[in-house]
Amino acid sequence: MIASPVIQTSPNPIQVEPDLRLKDILKTLPKACFQKNRQKAWMSVFINVGMVALGYISIAIAPWFLLPIAWIFTGTALTGFFVLGHDCGHRSFAKRRWVNDLVGHIMFLPLIYPFHCWRILHNKHHAYTNKMDVDNAWQPARPHDYDNYPSIWLRGYQVMRGRMWWLASIIHWAGLHFDRSQFAPKDRQKATFSMLVVIGFAAIAFPLLIATTGLWGFVKFWLIPWLVYHFWMSTFTLVHHTAPDIAFQEPSEWNAAQAQLAGTVHCEYPAWVEFLCHHINVHIPHHLSTAIPSYNLRMAHESLKQNWSSYLHESCFSWQLMKEITDHCHIYDEKDGYVSFRDYHR
């Protein structure tokens, strides 16, 4: 039985007209939003590499009491590497596929993220955003599924949806992206290649880092910035698609325009985070079309505000926002919306 949640999901979440199609929305966006700019793309790479280098220099020279600042800066800059690889995965970085694949693999290397594995699985998320039982990015548990989770799965889900949400990206990374069974036979060769690339990189880079800086050097220069990166990955992913008044849809009722326009969150983060992460949190236009490069997302969002503002879900990052999500958006029922672990009774 489901008790009333502390934060009640809107009984009538924002709904688009049933006959509204994605192409109707996309027609209202300026054509410039979809245009690739080689100079902007490569400038983003050069600036991001510079920021990561600056971060590692700061870790090397910072006194112990300033290390947390250096770690946070470096991990956030590494998140920018992921966003650039993310553009490559959507083929919105360069016109040539081989350039996208090469840059994507390089950007993902220090994150030990297999590029093709992520690209293939992530495209499924875009194709079926907020579609229950199909979307593979952090969809909430149904009451029936939650009731039947084995104890270890139950505890893991409670961890990922509670105050330790920042671990969820690590679980997602390890649990899906190195498992060949997740991929169709036609994709397994590319997936295996990307796995071998990052495993080979780690097999060389990690022992070399430990040999030259010691075990503490490995923790100091790689592990902690990598954990900061996963903090942002977990946070961005959760916030992009979770709010008390955002509905997940049953497969039989799923509507692409509803999911991509009204089911995705635009969230403003501090300016330095937006800069280092290439404004990926301007997320609604990205879900309407993955062909929009990251440097054009704000242009696209301004257009959406002019034409579709009543359907947009906008917020600002704060610890209160994370508290609201991680305290209440736990189990999702088609009729009653979200209910917290605390208020759910089996």
Side-chain angles (χ1 to χ4, degrees):
M1 180 181 70
I2 296 181
S4 297
V6 174
I7 293 184
Q8 182 71 42
T9 302
S10 172
N12 297 299
I14 297 172
Q15 297 287 336
V16 303
E17 289 81 359
D19 59 345
L20 182 64
R21 297 166 297 178
L22 277 181
K23 65 180 183 180
D24 299 325
I25 305 168
L26 293 174
K27 286 179 181 178
T28 67
L29 295 177
K31 292 183 180 179
C33 295
F34 302 93
Q35 294 177 357
K36 298 181 181 71
N37 185 307
R38 183 183 302 176
Q39 182 177 351
K40 288 182 179 179
W42 285 105
M43 185 61 66
S44 297
V45 173
F46 294 143
I47 291 174
N48 207 155
V49 170
M51 293 298 99
V52 170
L54 179 63
Y56 281 125
I57 291 171
S58 68
I59 292 173
I61 65 175
W64 67 267
F65 55 88
L66 291 180
L67 274 176
I69 297 175
W71 284 327
I72 291 171
F73 179 87
T74 306
T76 308
L78 286 170
T79 309
F81 272 17
F82 182 89
V83 176
L84 292 173
H86 174 272
D87 270 17
C88 292
H90 288 305
R91 312 307 191 194
S92 60
F93 178 83
K95 295 181 179 179
R96 290 183 169 85
R97 178 167 295 189
W98 72 266
V99 175
N100 286 308
D101 288 348
L102 176 62
V103 175
H105 276 91
I106 293 172
M107 292 292 100
F108 276 22
L109 273 181
L111 309 174
I112 316 300
Y113 228 120
F115 174 73
H116 282 310
C117 300
W118 168 82
R119 178 182 63 81
I120 295 164
L121 294 177
H122 184 67
N123 282 336
K124 183 177 180 181
H125 161 61
H126 274 274
Y128 303 105
T129 301
N130 291 13
K131 190 174 187 178
M132 289 296 286
D133 304 327
V134 183
D135 189 356
N136 61 0
W138 284 42
Q139 75 167 260
R142 299 172 183 268
H144 174 76
D145 295 332
Y146 183 78
D147 290 345
N148 290 281
Y149 278 157
S151 58
I152 188 169
W153 279 87
L154 184 67
R155 183 56 185 154
Y157 183 78
Q158 290 170 345
V159 166
M160 288 194 298
R161 285 282 171 172
R163 292 300 177 82
M164 297 184 72
W165 83 90
W166 53 274
L167 291 173
S169 176
I170 300 174
I171 297 170
H172 184 76
W173 162 79
L176 294 180
H177 297 86
F178 294 90
D179 180 1
R180 279 172 48 88
S181 69
Q182 296 288 331
F183 306 95
K186 66 182 180 66
D187 295 322
R188 285 178 186 164
Q189 184 176 0
K190 287 184 176 181
T192 301
F193 172 77
S194 292
M195 293 179 202
L196 292 175
V197 167
V198 295
I199 291 171
F201 175 81
I204 295 171
F206 288 175
L208 184 62
L209 182 60
I210 293 171
T212 54
T213 65
L215 186 59
W216 169 238
F218 172 78
V219 173
K220 177 181 176 181
F221 286 102
W222 184 79
L223 181 60
I224 298 180
W226 183 77
L227 291 175
V228 172
Y229 151 71
H230 275 289
F231 167 86
W232 286 122
M233 281 292 293
S234 299
T235 302
F236 292 169
T237 307
L238 183 61
V239 172
H240 284 165
H241 301 286
T242 309
D245 57 348
I246 284 184
F248 278 71
Q249 298 169 274
E250 293 299 311
S252 61
E253 300 172 356
W254 187 79
N255 175 284
Q258 172 73 33
Q260 312 295 16
L261 180 64
T264 305
V265 178
H266 170 91
C267 186
E268 287 289 344
Y269 289 74
W272 65 275
V273 176
E274 296 285 1
F275 171 74
L276 290 175
C277 298
H278 307 286
H279 304 279
I280 192 57
N281 298 295
V282 185
H283 207 62
I284 300 173
H286 172 64
H287 261 270
L288 292 171
S289 174
T290 58
I292 302 174
S294 56
Y295 45 79
N296 288 337
L297 289 174
R298 288 202 176 272
M299 179 200 307
H301 188 73
E302 288 305 311
S303 175
L304 291 175
K305 288 173 69 173
Q306 294 174 14
N307 295 291
W308 307 96
S309 60
S310 61
Y311 300 116
L312 303 184
H313 194 294
E314 298 181 302
S315 63
C316 291
F317 175 73
S318 67
W319 292 114
Q320 182 59 37
L321 172 68
M322 298 312 300
K323 184 177 185 297
E324 176 180 295
I325 291 174
T326 58
D327 281 356
H328 306 292
C329 297
H330 296 155
I331 304 163
Y332 189 83
D333 180 79
E334 180 185 0
K335 295 181 179 179
D336 298 325
Y338 279 108
V339 63
S340 70
F341 295 133
R342 182 181 60 243
D343 295 301
Y344 179 74
H345 305 287
R346 298 189 182 205

